[in-house]
Amino acid sequence: MIRLVLRYLKGPARAFAIAAPFMMLIEVFMDLQQPTFMARIIDVGVANRDLRYVLSTGLVMILMAVAGFVGGALCSLFAARAAVSAGGEIREGLFRKIQSLSCADVDGFRTSSLVTRCTNDVMQVQGMVMMLLRGMVRTPLLLVGSVVMAFLLSPSLSTVFLLALPFVLGCMALVMWKSASLFSGAQASLDRVNTIMRENLLGIRVVKAFSLEGLQEGRFGSSNQELTEANIRAQDVTFLLMPAVMLAMNACIVAVLWFGGGMVKAGSLEIGKIMAFINYLVQITNSTIMAANLVINLSRAIASSTRINEVLDRAPSLPAPASRAAPASLPALASQAAPTAQSAVPPAFDIEFRNVTFAYAGAREAALCDISFRLGEGGSLGIIGATGSGKTSLASLLPRLYDASSGQVLVGGMDVRDWDLPALRRTVAFVTQESLLFSGTVESNLRYGREDAGPADFESALADAQALGFVNALPEGVGAPVEQRGHNFSGGQKQRLSIARALLHDARILVLDDSTSAVDLGTEARLRAALAVRERGRTVVVIAQRVSALMGCDRILVLDFGRMSALGTHGELLRSSAIYRSIVASQLGEEAVAHA
Amino acid sequence: MPEAQRPSFGGRPVGDPHAHYFREKARLSDPRGTTRRIASYLGRRKPALVLVFLCALAATIVAILGTRLNGYTLDRFIKTGDQAGLLVICLVLLCMYALGALATYAQNRVMVRVAQRSSADLRRDLFASMQRLPLSYFDRHSSGDLMSRLTNNVDNINLMLAQGVVQLFAGAVTIVGMLVAMLLLSPLLTLIGVALVPLMVLGPRYLARKTQPSFAAQQRELGNLNGFIEEAISGQKTLALYGQERKAAEDFAAINARYVKSSGRAQGLSGIMGPINNSVNNLTYMVISVCGALFVIKGTGMTVGVVFSFLLYMRGFTRPINDILTLWSSVQSALAGAERVFEVMDTRPEADAPEARELDWTAGDIAIDDVVFAYEPGKPVLRGMSIHAEPGMTVAIVGPTGAGKTTIMNLLPRFYDFESGSISIDGEDIRGLTAGSLRARISIVLQDPFLFSASVRENIRYGRLSASDAEIEDAARKARAHEFIMQLPEGYETVLSDNGGNLSQGQRQLLSIARAIVADSSILVLDEATSSVDTRTEVLIQAALLELMKGKTCFVIAHRLSTIRKADRIVVIDSGTVVESGTHDSLMAAGGFYAGLYNSQFASGMPL
């Protein structure tokens, strides 16, 4: 955990973090003088009946208290600044890291766990940093300081707690070891509870539709129970520590009374010193308890920091290639660092799959098996097939959302793995099946496609995507608010906005994954017409369920259980592929087959 | 920081894209009411609390006696050199301390159970109340913010209950006990000591009042932060595709910075509490020492031992006061959090009409009569919609996007309440029926299927909890989902993740159809369900659904003309009203809107 914090303690925060303990030194030093001065009041002032001495000592103690306050307050302020800053930096670093993870990695971690790590776990670590900065100096210093002062007062009495110390340390170690695993168990239970809550939130419509409220409450109830028990178990262990420490310390006090009494009788010790000694013992006890608390909370924070490090240390499975190459003719890259030189002839933006096989992590069967085809630049390819036949998987390989298990995917004649990833994603615009909009405005969403787009660009893209009508009908136009996930728009509207966004991206290769499923046929036809004009000369891949969307493509690929079943034009397929014929028949009627 | 206003397309200024995260204002607090409410959760476990009280009492008595005996020992045994007496008193002290340790241990163990179980109750109540909230609430609040309330805020409360209450309890007992002991020892010194207490309390109280708004602000910013993180991480793929990672990171940095600022302020201010306490303590000891010494010198009968004991009492007296005061910051957090939690719980839930009837069987006659509805006041989506479906009829609803088709589906199960008009089932207004029983009679397949992180079998069972395994498999077969389920790693027992993320869109649709089949109700509503499934499979499902639809009333929103063609009645909607209605043949013959739609399917030869 220390490594994590040190890495993210930057700039002024670092100075604050260093300054805080020093401020604490002042406060602790002042605190340590207290018992000694009090002893002096008794031994010197009272013994000699010296009023003035008593009063002047009192004055000194006031000054020390004030100085201690200044030190302590500054320490707190500095510690807060440092801790909060470190927390913010860790959160940001974690967020950036999550952004850079590949789809496979994100699947592995699960969304809700990532969200918990970004929020809850970071807060644990932050809280710990603050506690450490404040207590890390105070507690050991008070502890050591008190021990030293006590030793100075009377070495022989000090041997008493030298015996107790190993016992106390042993207890602390045991508790820390046991509670660490219990606390991470509790965090895992918290994850599960949060998953159910999140699911319930997102799926509330389904819950209401099927009257699942009772069931959900039941599911929640059992994991809630589990969490409670896990928390109790973890805290139970920590409860052994406090009483044990207190008992040890109190026994020490009794021993001091016994031995000290003997020494006073023998005349080798003054009574005032016993008082001071016991005072120091109380200080030591208090500090030990504080240290114990710190230790317990530390285990909690360590569990959290482990979870954070797990994400930060994950080697990205889609690393930027060493060569960082991209075809030299790519216009948007003009300002980038010089890539390795390509041939003088600009490559075409064609797509080629060579014996590509792909399986999702942990799947029993491959989603794609031995796919090979080539689509020249400016050509259009339609992909059709049954559910689960691998259409989306195939398209996901193009922008490298996933990597093929074997075989090669080539764009512009170069393996996608050799492409500079940002450049690849600028070249391939991918409209996903599930159109996802972000909260903000219509304009902010469109800008994801192109940041420097102007009003004319928006108008053109929206018009072609058949979205201009409803956007103009909104009172704020492009400035209309978009709720989380685009909830305030209908399915068809979301899809059209997604398409407009992709059009703004102005990529050389456009992939549409079933992106007009919620759009009515009339609108879809107009969309197709508009895209035909706009995308002329660009490579287009269309995945659809409706043959009507694919009929005009140069070629159509029929997938069946991850394998290529047929490839050809609409007419060729009607003649050669039984599967294709049956699809056309079911959708467009027998007459469409006959009139091939 | 929010972007500066920019002129936009359409000439209207563009506001801050994240403005809606910052919508909430700082809350006015009702700390007393909130505290009482939280306390009521603890109050459910009175016997345990009594036990805790007794243990705390025992531990405190031990502490007080021990402290007094220390001083007494000095005066009585050490000064006089009575070794035998010293031995006895030391043994007594040891026994006492052992008992005290035991009492503390027992107290803590019981208290933590009380606290954690009370937190669990709170969490459960919150969840239950969330279930009863109307859909409009979820539309208005970001799920990230709600999640923040459910998790972070409840955690704060939990922390306070688990650790804070014990300290408060034990502390209160200790304070009273020590005060009594001090009075018995020396009323004079007690007077001086107590006179200094207000100093100890006033400073921190003033500080607490100052920091309360900072804590509320901190919580608010946390909600915003959570909302953003939630959205960005779930929308990861889309962000990656558009190379927007960097921009998202920048936006995040802005929101993060706001949180850091508000959090820093809150934590910093509350951190000064400790040093204040400490210095006041030191001053107090100093004053007592000086006064005590003065009294001893003046010879008023005060002894050194008394002063010593008194000082130890003072430590025992001020320590819990300090603890309670330092607890204040976590109490602040917890109260601010509790307010946000109770806000959700106090929202008016969906309610049935007082005389609502349970619907147990219906023939399935649905009459939608002149319904007017708007999600947001002033923006009507349905403007006088009328549709009638006889029992067993399949009605296909067609129209351009945004015409109001999905809205009709939302109104049938009373997800929302409409302004005027009526919807009746078998002639009975649905507003007179209980929502639960109404929804049990309607099966819904949504446009965007939602699946839970449970096994495939369980997900299908959610359609009807009383379904047997055989019925589930039968439904899966009818929905043509059985084949792909068997190909999953664990077949029906495969656990789905994150809204069925490990399945394709089509597969998710099939599962949600299987779920609707199992539900076996008399009214079926399909919202574009079949459009993500390839038509080869759809034909088979259509056949199965036709079987199922026998004797059932079915509303279909689909874009596939092959689906619509087979419907008993086609209703064409535009801008919230019915434009055309009839069978496929009659509408084609009429040559209107529907005919135009159908013909456009054959628009040919344009590559995309």
Side-chain angles (χ1 to χ4, degrees):
Chain A
M1 186 186 89
I2 306 292
R3 170 173 65 100
L4 177 69
V5 172
L6 284 179
R7 190 151 44 128
Y8 286 96
L9 207 58
K10 297 177 185 158
R14 205 167 259 237
F16 283 129
I18 296 176
F22 279 106
M23 293 295 118
M24 184 51 76
L25 268 175
I26 299 175
E27 192 188 21
V28 170
F29 183 72
M30 297 302 150
D31 278 351
L32 285 174
Q33 304 308 313
Q34 289 281 331
T36 313
F37 274 77
M38 275 198 275
R40 274 202 217 148
I41 289 182
I42 302 288
D43 290 335
V44 177
V46 172
N48 301 337
R49 310 227 156 230
D50 187 351
L51 207 63
R52 208 161 303 152
Y53 183 82
V54 170
L55 286 173
S56 61
T57 313
L59 206 65
V60 172
M61 284 168 82
I62 292 179
L63 288 173
M64 291 199 310
V66 170
F69 169 70
V70 170
L74 282 177
C75 172
S76 271
L77 283 169
F78 291 167
R81 287 287 288 276
V84 165
S85 161
E89 293 288 334
I90 293 177
R91 206 177 292 119
E92 196 168 329
L94 189 57
F95 186 77
R96 277 180 202 267
K97 179 68 193 210
I98 293 174
Q99 295 276 64
S100 76
L101 288 177
S102 69
C103 287
D105 293 325
V106 172
D107 293 343
F109 278 122
R110 293 213 187 185
T111 310
S112 44
S113 173
L114 285 174
V115 174
T116 312
R117 287 173 211 231
C118 241
T119 51
N120 190 281
D121 288 313
V122 173
M123 291 224 281
Q124 293 276 17
V125 172
Q126 179 181 300
M128 173 82 322
V129 171
M130 185 127 63
M131 237 200 276
L132 276 180
L133 283 177
R134 289 204 279 227
M136 167 179 77
V137 172
R138 184 186 176 78
T139 311
L141 269 187
L142 271 181
L143 196 57
V144 171
S146 302
V147 169
V148 166
M149 297 296 264
F151 207 77
L152 289 174
L153 267 183
S154 166
S156 26
L157 277 181
S158 307
T159 52
V160 167
F161 57 72
L162 281 179
L163 292 171
L165 213 59
F167 171 71
V168 168
L169 288 174
C171 278
M172 274 170 57
L174 190 72
V175 166
M176 183 164 165
W177 173 70
K178 263 245 81 195
S179 59
S181 58
L182 287 173
F183 272 124
S184 46
Q187 284 293 86
S189 295
L190 187 64
D191 261 349
R192 271 191 289 279
V193 168
N194 287 350
T195 305
I196 295 183
M197 286 219 252
R198 185 170 177 268
E199 249 188 3
N200 202 67
L201 262 180
L202 295 175
I204 190 74
R205 232 166 255 269
V206 174
V207 171
K208 285 193 188 285
F210 288 102
S211 297
L212 295 173
E213 289 96 335
L215 178 75
Q216 284 294 87
E217 278 185 46
R219 275 176 88 209
F220 182 78
S222 52
S223 63
N224 191 18
Q225 180 84 336
E226 204 190 292
L227 175 64
T228 310
E229 296 305 316
N231 275 338
I232 290 179
R233 265 197 305 273
Q235 282 191 284
D236 263 354
V237 170
T238 67
F239 290 146
L240 289 170
L241 191 59
M242 217 63 73
V245 167
M246 287 238 53
L247 191 59
M249 283 303 150
N250 282 328
C252 281
I253 293 183
V254 173
V256 164
L257 284 174
W258 171 249
F259 288 115
M263 286 167 77
V264 166
K265 185 160 183 189
S268 56
L269 193 66
E270 298 102 335
I271 284 197
K273 288 235 173 92
I274 295 193
M275 273 171 60
F277 203 87
I278 294 189
N279 260 323
Y280 279 124
L281 263 184
V282 173
Q283 280 254 47
I284 293 172
T285 310
N286 288 343
S287 324
T288 316
I289 293 173
M290 280 199 286
N293 269 330
L294 219 67
V295 160
I296 290 164
N297 286 317
L298 200 68
S299 355
R300 253 210 157 125
I302 286 182
S304 288
S305 77
T306 308
R307 282 156 59 94
I308 296 175
N309 277 328
E310 222 185 347
V311 177
L312 288 173
D313 292 339
R314 172 70 73 103
S317 47
L318 286 182
S323 59
R324 294 218 131 231
S329 68
L330 200 59
L333 279 188
S335 53
Q336 288 277 57
T340 61
Q342 296 293 306
S343 60
V345 176
F349 286 102
D350 59 336
I351 297 172
E352 189 175 345
F353 275 61
R354 283 188 201 156
N355 305 104
V356 169
T357 298
F358 169 69
Y360 288 100
R364 255 208 313 226
E365 293 185 15
L368 292 172
C369 218
D370 200 25
I371 306 284
S372 298
F373 68 86
R374 190 176 170 281
L375 177 66
E377 179 173 16
S380 59
L381 178 72
I383 305 182
I384 197 165
T387 312
S389 55
K391 309 187 289 298
T392 304
S393 312
L394 198 155
S396 303
L397 297 179
L398 278 172
R400 274 192 86 196
L401 287 176
Y402 291 92
D403 267 338
S405 315
S406 73
Q408 281 184 305
V409 177
L410 299 118
V411 170
M414 196 161 71
D415 191 319
V416 290
R417 281 175 286 221
D418 294 332
W419 271 76
D420 170 45
L421 201 55
L424 180 64
R425 300 223 169 123
R426 272 194 296 275
T427 311
V428 179
F430 189 109
V431 183
T432 50
Q433 226 174 357
E434 207 185 314
S435 38
L436 195 64
L437 298 178
F438 293 97
S439 56
T441 59
V442 170
E443 181 174 339
S444 68
N445 270 280
L446 290 177
R447 276 192 196 284
Y448 278 102
R450 190 171 3 135
E451 289 204 26
D452 57 358
D457 301 315
F458 286 145
E459 187 163 356
S460 145
L462 286 170
D464 283 337
Q466 308 303 308
L468 193 60
F470 74 81
V471 170
N472 274 349
L474 297 168
E476 304 97 335
V478 210
V482 177
E483 302 284 318
Q484 198 176 29
R485 286 172 182 259
H487 267 150
N488 53 333
F489 288 96
S490 74
Q493 290 170 334
K494 278 197 289 191
Q495 282 188 326
R496 281 177 284 167
L497 286 175
S498 292
I499 293 176
R501 178 172 63 190
L503 291 179
L504 275 172
H505 204 55
D506 209 27
R508 303 304 298 254
I509 302 176
L510 179 65
V511 180
L512 297 166
D513 187 358
D514 206 11
S515 29
T516 50
S517 56
V519 174
D520 66 87
L521 289 161
T523 313
E524 193 200 32
R526 284 190 293 274
L527 183 76
R528 266 189 287 130
L531 287 182
V533 173
R534 193 188 180 104
E535 298 293 305
R536 193 158 288 154
R538 311 226 189 162
T539 320
V540 177
V541 176
V542 182
I543 301 173
Q545 305 285 10
R546 299 182 208 170
V547 175
S548 51
L550 303 178
M551 273 191 314
C553 291
D554 293 341
R555 280 191 300 168
I556 298 173
L557 170 65
V558 180
L559 284 179
D560 194 29
F561 291 112
R563 287 173 194 275
M564 292 172 56
S565 169
L567 177 63
T569 66
H570 171 75
E572 287 165 11
L573 289 178
L574 274 180
R575 282 189 292 275
S576 63
S577 165
I579 294 180
Y580 191 75
R581 266 200 299 276
S582 71
I583 293 177
V584 172
S586 70
Q587 286 190 19
L588 304 178
E590 294 297 335
E591 56 271 19
V593 179
H595 295 162
Chain B
M1 296 315 287
E3 297 172 49
Q5 304 248 314
R6 280 189 312 236
S8 82
F9 169 65
R12 293 175 208 99
V14 178
D16 173 10
H18 293 301
H20 71 287
Y21 281 137
F22 309 138
R23 243 181 241 149
E24 295 180 47
K25 299 206 180 11
R27 291 245 157 329
L28 295 162
S29 49
D30 171 26
R32 262 187 218 148
T34 313
T35 314
R36 227 176 294 140
R37 233 171 134 168
I38 299 179
S40 72
Y41 277 92
L42 288 172
R44 297 181 198 178
R45 297 186 162 78
K46 288 213 175 67
L49 285 177
V50 168
L51 183 61
V52 172
F53 179 76
L54 288 174
C55 285
L57 200 65
T60 311
I61 290 175
V62 163
I64 295 172
L65 274 179
T67 314
R68 180 67 190 103
L69 282 175
N70 283 339
Y72 181 71
T73 309
L74 273 179
D75 288 335
R76 172 80 175 74
F77 300 108
I78 296 185
K79 253 201 198 126
T80 57
D82 179 359
Q83 288 291 89
L86 190 61
L87 185 63
V88 171
I89 199 89
C90 284
L91 287 171
V92 169
L93 278 172
L94 269 174
C95 290
M96 263 183 24
Y97 285 135
L99 275 169
L102 220 69
T104 311
Y105 179 65
Q107 164 201 313
N108 284 339
R109 268 191 79 116
V110 176
M111 193 61 213
V112 84
R113 275 159 180 76
V114 170
Q116 291 289 0
R117 300 220 167 106
S118 302
S119 285
D121 285 346
L122 182 65
R123 234 182 261 125
R124 191 199 56 212
D125 286 349
L126 180 59
F127 189 80
S129 63
M130 200 179 80
Q131 299 282 56
R132 290 190 285 272
L133 293 172
L135 273 180
S136 46
Y137 186 87
F138 295 97
D139 292 341
R140 280 195 312 261
H141 292 80
S142 86
S143 59
D145 180 63
L146 279 174
M147 274 304 286
S148 178
R149 292 177 202 233
L150 290 171
T151 54
N152 293 328
N153 295 139
V154 173
D155 273 348
N156 282 345
I157 299 173
N158 182 14
L159 216 67
M160 183 190 78
L161 286 180
Q163 295 173 358
V165 177
V166 192
Q167 282 187 290
L168 276 168
F169 226 57
V173 172
T174 309
I175 290 173
V176 170
M178 289 291 171
L179 198 60
V180 167
M182 289 196 291
L183 275 171
L184 289 174
L185 194 56
S186 162
L188 196 57
L189 281 178
T190 311
L191 210 66
I192 299 173
V194 169
L196 294 167
V197 168
L199 216 85
M200 251 187 270
V201 174
L202 277 178
R205 265 196 78 175
Y206 174 71
L207 197 65
R209 206 164 294 156
K210 278 270 152 147
T211 58
Q212 175 57 290
S214 304
F215 271 105
Q218 185 192 252
Q219 295 289 40
R220 201 173 18 115
E221 297 296 345
L222 186 63
N224 298 335
L225 190 68
N226 277 0
F228 184 91
I229 291 178
E230 165 84 37
E231 232 191 343
I233 294 185
S234 1
Q236 180 87 325
K237 214 178 256 189
T238 308
L239 287 174
L241 286 171
Y242 287 100
Q244 285 295 314
E245 296 97 325
R246 206 201 54 198
K247 174 141 192 318
E250 280 167 15
D251 289 342
F252 176 77
I255 295 186
N256 195 24
R258 280 176 79 118
Y259 174 69
V260 165
K261 196 162 162 206
S262 70
S263 179
R265 222 198 319 261
Q267 302 291 350
L269 281 177
S270 67
I272 298 187
M273 198 84 75
I276 290 183
N277 288 339
N278 204 29
S279 10
V280 173
N281 285 347
N282 287 339
L283 279 171
T284 315
Y285 298 150
M286 187 269 318
V287 168
I288 300 280
S289 307
V290 167
C291 292
L294 286 174
F295 291 148
V296 173
I297 292 178
K298 286 276 159 53
T300 50
M302 190 156 297
T303 68
V304 164
V306 167
V307 176
F308 177 55
S309 276
F310 199 85
L311 279 171
L312 288 178
Y313 281 153
M314 269 310 275
R315 259 198 214 274
F317 177 69
T318 53
R319 188 173 44 163
I321 296 186
N322 290 341
D323 287 344
I324 292 175
L325 290 173
T326 8
L327 216 56
W328 210 243
S329 64
S330 61
V331 170
Q332 302 275 65
S333 292
L335 284 180
E339 268 186 15
R340 284 163 57 88
V341 165
F342 290 138
E343 199 192 13
V344 175
M345 285 170 72
D346 291 341
T347 310
R348 244 190 56 195
E350 272 195 310
D352 291 323
E355 305 283 292
R357 185 177 87 80
E358 287 273 325
L359 181 69
D360 37 32
W361 178 85
T362 166
D365 183 288
I366 302 180
I368 301 174
D369 192 30
D370 204 23
V371 167
V372 173
F373 172 75
Y375 286 107
E376 268 172 76
K379 296 185 196 165
V381 177
L382 296 182
R383 305 159 206 260
M385 174 76 57
S386 299
I387 303 176
H388 183 228
E390 277 114 39
M393 202 182 216
T394 301
V395 175
I397 304 190
V398 177
T401 353
K405 310 190 289 293
T406 313
T407 309
I408 300 176
M409 298 307 120
N410 279 338
L411 293 182
L412 266 180
R414 276 189 65 210
F415 281 155
Y416 298 89
D417 277 320
F418 42 90
E419 270 105 69
S420 70
S422 73
I423 299 182
S424 324
I425 294 189
D426 295 346
E428 197 174 343
D429 193 317
I430 59 172
R431 282 172 288 202
L433 302 167
T434 61
S437 64
L438 176 65
R439 290 168 193 165
R441 299 287 149 259
I442 304 179
S443 288
I444 304 184
V445 183
L446 298 170
Q447 185 175 38
D448 206 357
F450 190 85
L451 298 170
F452 295 92
S453 59
S455 69
V456 170
R457 191 187 296 278
E458 284 311 302
N459 266 285
I460 300 178
R461 200 192 297 275
Y462 285 173
R464 183 167 46 97
L465 293 173
S466 56
S468 68
D469 285 351
E471 285 170 311
I472 288 173
E473 266 179 58
D474 186 51
R477 271 178 224 276
K478 288 209 179 106
R480 295 310 180 277
H482 182 77
E483 286 78 33
F484 86 77
I485 293 177
M486 292 312 282
Q487 294 194 334
L488 294 174
E490 271 129 54
Y492 279 87
E493 307 312 318
T494 312
V495 172
L496 301 177
S497 69
D498 256 347
N499 193 7
N502 40 352
L503 300 176
S504 78
Q505 274 281 69
Q507 288 169 336
R508 287 165 67 229
Q509 285 284 9
L510 288 180
L511 279 188
S512 93
I513 292 172
R515 184 168 64 192
I517 292 177
V518 154
D520 199 29
S521 46
S522 24
I523 302 173
L524 212 57
V525 170
L526 297 167
D527 188 348
E528 295 173 335
T530 51
S531 53
S532 278
V533 177
D534 74 282
T535 32
R536 194 167 60 144
T537 318
E538 191 202 308
V539 166
L540 303 168
I541 295 180
Q542 288 265 328
L545 285 176
L546 272 173
E547 275 270 352
L548 200 63
M549 286 194 260
K550 278 197 196 127
K552 292 191 172 79
T553 317
C554 184
F555 276 71
V556 178
I557 305 176
H559 298 306
R560 296 176 163 280
L561 290 181
S562 51
T563 325
I564 299 165
R565 255 200 309 214
K566 301 209 180 81
D568 295 319
R569 178 180 298 165
I570 300 170
V571 174
V572 183
I573 302 185
D574 193 15
S575 302
T577 48
V578 175
V579 169
E580 287 187 322
S581 167
T583 63
H584 169 77
D585 294 326
S586 72
L587 288 174
M588 287 305 285
F593 193 91
Y594 177 79
L597 209 66
Y598 188 83
N599 286 327
S600 72
Q601 180 179 302
F602 286 106
S604 65
M606 271 169 271
L608 261 189

